[in-house]
């Protein structure tokens, strides 16, 4: 792992899905195969005031040179994942996989088990769960405000869904190459749980219309 190059405007780190030590020292192409690289946010980032994730608890720090049995870049992985979106559930915000091995590796044990060696990525750390469920709470709050004025419709929910599905957040930075300001659009944070929740809500309303 190391710092990303200057084309990435924020401080980030590179993680190898298949660990570097799995490749021979002479296999430079294998070590730097872009299909095997993902960008990670830096450790100990405070997402919630007063709460941060210790560096040793961050996904790349915990993974180290261990192998995981899936690629986060594969569209197939999404088919096995769901989220706990019930805000009253003590596990609210957790990622759930129907694949037992993946569930263990992403961090399927409870709050008291985060040091379990099998929990490789720690994606269900309480801080991450709270960050995810806060997105759902925001959507629910928007729905309540909407209900006071208008009925929450499938069309309205689909509009919100598209905001999470597409790159809709403008981001500007100064290029270190030529000093000019660059602007691009990025995805919203924790969009996975938002897409999952909104899709379920739309399906539910669709069934109500048919009944």
């Amino acid at each position: 792992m190391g710092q990303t190059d200057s084309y990435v405007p924020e401080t980030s780190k590179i993680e190898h899905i298949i660990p570097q030590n799995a490749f021979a020292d002479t296999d430079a192409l294998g070590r730097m195969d872009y299909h095997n690289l993902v960008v990670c946010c830096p450790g100990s980032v405070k997402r919630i005031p007063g709460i941060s994730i210790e560096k040793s608890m961050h996904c790349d720090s915990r993974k180290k040179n261990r192998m995981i049995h899936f690629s986060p870049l594969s569209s197939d992985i999404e088919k096995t994942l769901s989220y706990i979106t019930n805000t009253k559930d003590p596990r609210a915000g957790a990622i759930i996989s129907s694949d037992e091995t993946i569930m263990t590796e992403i961090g399927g044990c409870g709050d008291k088990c985060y040091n379990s060696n099998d929990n490789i990525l720690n994606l269900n750390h309480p801080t991450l769960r709270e960050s995810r469920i806060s997105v759902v709470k925001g959507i629910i709050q928007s729905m309540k405000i909407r209900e006071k004025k208008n009925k929450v419709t499938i069309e309205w929910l689909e509009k919100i869904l598209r905001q999470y599905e597409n790159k809709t957040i403008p981001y500007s930075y100064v290029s270190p190459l030529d000093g000019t300001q660059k602007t691009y659009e990025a995805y919203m944070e924790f969009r996975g749980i938002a897409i999952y929740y909104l899709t379920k809500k739309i399906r539910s309303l669709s069934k109500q219309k048919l009944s």
Side-chain angles (χ1 to χ4, degrees):
M1 294 182 297
Q3 297 298 320
T4 56
D5 60 33
S6 58
Y7 291 99
V8 180
E10 292 187 8
T11 302
S12 306
K13 294 187 291 185
I14 291 294
E15 172 63 19
H16 296 75
I17 300 171
I18 300 175
Q20 289 191 74
N21 66 356
F23 299 95
D25 291 340
T26 55
D27 188 3
L29 290 178
R31 286 169 173 257
M32 295 305 296
D33 181 0
Y34 281 172
H35 295 92
N36 189 46
L37 304 179
V38 291
V39 178
C40 297
C41 58
S44 302
V45 175
K46 290 189 176 182
R47 295 290 183 184
I48 305 172
I51 302 176
S52 65
I53 301 177
E54 294 296 329
K55 186 176 181 180
S56 62
M57 290 291 187
H58 239 254
C59 58
D60 61 311
S61 299
R62 284 187 64 88
K63 181 177 178 294
K64 297 182 179 178
N65 288 323
R66 291 187 286 177
M67 188 77 74
I68 56 176
H69 295 82
F70 65 95
S71 169
L73 302 179
S74 171
S75 58
D76 291 337
I77 183 65
E78 295 183 8
K79 299 174 184 177
T80 79
L81 299 179
S82 60
Y83 296 84
I84 297 178
T85 56
N86 181 349
T87 58
K88 295 182 180 180
D89 192 311
R91 302 167 300 159
I95 301 178
I96 304 297
S97 175
S98 57
D99 184 294
E100 186 175 343
T101 300
I102 294 175
M103 187 68 233
T104 300
E105 292 178 348
I106 65 177
C109 52
D111 291 354
K112 297 180 181 179
C113 306
Y114 285 106
N115 289 320
S116 167
N117 192 54
D118 293 332
N119 171 11
I120 296 178
L121 298 179
N122 207 25
L123 297 184
N124 281 326
H125 186 282
T127 301
L128 293 177
R129 295 206 321 262
E130 180 61 31
S131 295
R132 291 190 200 106
I133 203 62
S134 67
V135 174
V136 174
K137 289 178 179 178
I139 294 172
I140 293 173
Q141 183 61 29
S142 296
M143 290 169 60
K144 289 180 179 178
I145 294 173
R146 170 82 178 184
E147 286 172 346
K148 291 180 180 179
K149 299 179 181 180
N150 301 287
K151 185 178 180 181
V152 173
T153 63
I154 292 175
E155 292 73 22
W156 183 79
L157 289 172
E158 287 176 338
K159 181 180 178 181
I160 303 299
L161 176 61
R162 286 193 294 271
Q163 292 177 5
Y164 283 97
E165 288 179 329
N166 302 316
K167 295 180 179 181
T168 56
I169 303 299
Y171 186 92
S172 299
Y173 69 100
V174 176
S175 170
L177 300 179
D178 56 17
T180 60
Q181 182 166 304
K182 306 289 185 180
T183 301
Y184 67 92
E185 291 186 330
Y187 290 118
M188 291 187 181
E189 283 190 313
F190 302 106
R191 58 192 287 269
I193 193 169
I195 292 172
Y196 178 80
Y197 176 78
L198 287 164
T199 301
K200 278 206 318 178
K201 202 71 180 175
I202 291 169
R203 285 177 185 162
S204 176
L205 286 180
S206 297
K207 289 180 180 179
Q208 290 177 24
K209 288 183 69 174
L210 293 174
S211 61

